[in-house]
């Protein structure tokens, strides 16, 4: 399906995407070529259909996505970089090793790929934040502590609805109950195995 193709594109292209920003500019043409069914404009989708795509790659693609899908809305989940960076590096390492069966995976390369998109994403967020009801930043800990409340907050901030109806809230709570975060195992990683530290990450974020 189209959505599956997009998700595969994000996964497969992630190392290329963040090692060469030339690739980012070429994605505008790719998005334009997608069938109208994927467009979020009212001419392509009925009012009761919403497409939701989840990918960390979207952070570096915000301007291009908005040019092609002007009705799109974005939720950026925020975590401390000393948590998110090694988590992403570990994810990339395991994807390359276990899914793509790479013969040799360098942890240092995964570290650099995890760091590279941060500044571009931050700049893109600043650009999109100037447009009303387009982007909301959500603290990860708040999402974990109160999923239904976090969804309600996102809807309010994006101008979708003021409050969740009881059925919607109950459905969220039931889903969370049935899908605990460690249902399929716990993602274990640490900064040291990727040559990272809180101080090194903070230094990278301060650098130009």
């Amino acid at each position: 399906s189209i959505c599956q193709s997009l998700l595969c594109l994000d996964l497969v292209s992630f190392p290329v995407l963040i090692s060469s920003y030339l690739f980012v500019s070429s994605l505008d043409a790719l998005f334009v070529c997608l069938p109208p069914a994927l467009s979020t404009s009212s001419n392509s989708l009925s009012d009761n259909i919403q497409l939701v795509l989840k990918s960390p790659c979207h952070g570096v693609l915000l301007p291009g996505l908005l040019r092609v899908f002007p009705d799109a809305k974005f939720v950026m989940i925020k975590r401390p970089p000393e948590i998110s960076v090694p988590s992403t590096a570990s994810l990339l390492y395991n994807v390359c090793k276990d899914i793509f069966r790479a013969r040799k995976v360098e942890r240092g390369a995964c570290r650099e790929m995890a760091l590279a998109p941060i500044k571009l994403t931050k700049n893109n967020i600043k650009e999109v934040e100037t447009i009303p009801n387009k982007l909301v930043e959500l603290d990860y800990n708040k999402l974990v502590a109160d999923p239904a409340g976090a969804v309600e907050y996102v809807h309010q901030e994006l101008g979708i609805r003021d409050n969740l109806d009881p059925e919607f809230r109950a459905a969220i709570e039931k889903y969370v109950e049935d899908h605990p975060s460690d249902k399929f195992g716990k993602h274990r990683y640490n900064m040291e195995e990727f040559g990272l530290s809180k101080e090194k990450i903070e230094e990278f974020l301060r650098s130009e």
Side-chain angles (χ1 to χ4, degrees):
S1 70
I2 299 167
C3 291
Q4 288 175 327
S5 297
L6 264 185
L7 292 174
C8 288
L9 166 71
D10 289 339
L11 184 63
V12 174
S13 67
F14 193 67
V16 180
L17 188 69
I18 58 185
S19 62
S20 172
Y21 291 138
L22 292 176
F23 185 74
V24 175
S25 62
S26 69
L27 284 176
D28 276 18
L30 182 146
F31 289 134
V32 170
C33 293
L34 291 173
L38 191 58
S39 172
T40 56
S41 70
S42 58
N43 292 329
S44 301
L45 290 177
S46 62
D47 292 338
N48 63 342
I49 296 178
Q50 293 179 332
L51 292 173
V52 179
L53 297 177
K54 174 183 177 291
S55 170
C57 291
H58 293 161
V60 298
L61 301 172
L62 290 180
L65 284 168
L66 267 180
R67 281 192 291 272
V68 179
F69 307 117
D71 295 334
K73 297 178 184 291
F74 302 95
V75 180
M76 304 298 294
I77 298 177
K78 297 175 63 176
R79 300 182 76 183
E82 64 268 22
I83 296 176
S84 62
V85 172
S87 174
T88 301
S90 175
L91 175 64
L92 288 168
Y93 179 83
N94 287 309
V95 165
C96 292
K97 180 170 65 74
D98 298 333
I99 297 180
F100 295 144
R101 306 293 184 186
R103 293 181 180 177
K104 185 178 181 181
V105 184
E106 297 288 345
R107 284 184 169 84
C110 294
R111 176 191 63 233
E112 296 307 311
M113 288 190 290
L115 285 168
I118 296 177
K119 293 179 183 177
L120 182 59
T121 297
K122 289 178 66 176
N123 291 335
N124 287 341
I125 288 174
K126 290 179 182 178
E127 179 180 337
V128 177
E129 278 179 332
T130 62
I131 308 172
N133 297 330
K134 279 296 174 191
L135 182 144
V136 59
E137 294 186 74
L138 177 64
D139 183 85
Y140 176 81
N141 291 327
K142 291 182 179 179
L143 173 62
V144 173
D146 181 13
V151 172
E152 185 172 66
Y153 170 76
V154 167
H155 281 218
Q156 292 169 345
E157 291 295 304
L158 294 177
I160 298 173
R161 70 180 80 192
D162 293 331
N163 301 102
L164 299 183
D165 58 59
E167 293 79 9
F168 192 179
R169 181 178 290 274
I172 294 172
E173 293 171 350
K174 181 67 165 60
Y175 181 89
V176 172
E177 180 182 350
D178 292 343
H179 299 79
S181 60
D182 57 353
K183 182 175 182 178
F184 300 103
K186 188 174 180 60
H187 182 196
R188 301 184 185 279
Y189 55 89
N190 61 70
M191 291 194 287
E192 291 76 16
E193 66 179 308
F194 293 97
L196 289 165
S197 67
K198 183 177 180 180
E199 292 72 25
K200 287 181 180 180
I201 294 173
E202 290 174 347
E203 182 180 354
F204 172 81
L205 295 175
R206 287 194 299 268
S207 65
E208 294 297 330

